[in-house]
């Protein structure tokens, strides 16, 4: 098992509204995936597109959530606000540090 980053870059017409629904999504990820969900960061690029970085305890947990969450009615408000997905990938964490 290795820590995995889920990387999703996407368009969103209303980032403020998306951010408002984000707390519910994060709570849902914690509830559904427990200790497999390690954290998440949402950021905006200069071009206005958004990036969602989600940290998972394993590639299996990342793959499971990527398959289940977009169609989950409890996460629907968040996912309905996502426009075009430019890129979605998973990457193995090779080294990590915290301040």
């Amino acid at each position: 098992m290795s820590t995995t980053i889920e990387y999703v870059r996407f368009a969103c017409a209303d980032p403020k509204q998306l951010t408002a629904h984000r707390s519910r999504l994060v709570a849902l990820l914690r509830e559904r995936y427990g200790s497999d969900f390690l954290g998440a960061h949402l950021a905006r690029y200069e071009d206005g597109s958004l990036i969602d970085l989600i940290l998972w305890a394993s590639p299996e947990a990342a793959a499971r959530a990527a398959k289940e969450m977009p169609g989950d009615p409890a996460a629907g408000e968040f996912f309905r606000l996502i426009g075009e997905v430019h890129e979605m990938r998973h990457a193995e964490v090779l080294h990590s540090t915290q301040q």
Side-chain angles (χ1 to χ4, degrees), residues 13 29-30 46 51 78 80 83:
L29 292 172
R30 282 191 180 114
E46 290 175 355
I51 181 171
F78 180 84
R80 277 191 278 285

Side-chain angles (χ1 to χ4, degrees), residues 41-90:
H41 299 276
L42 180 67
R44 181 176 22 223
Y45 283 105
E46 290 175 355
D47 69 1
S49 65
L50 301 179
I51 181 171
D52 204 349
L53 296 170
I54 301 175
L55 196 60
W56 295 99
S58 69
E60 294 81 13
R64 183 175 144 227
K67 180 181 175 185
E68 295 172 352
M69 292 309 296
D72 190 315
E77 291 298 319
F78 180 84
F79 284 100
R80 277 191 278 285
L81 294 166
I82 292 176
E84 179 185 356
V85 174
H86 303 297
E87 185 174 12
M88 178 179 178
R89 300 180 73 157
H90 292 135

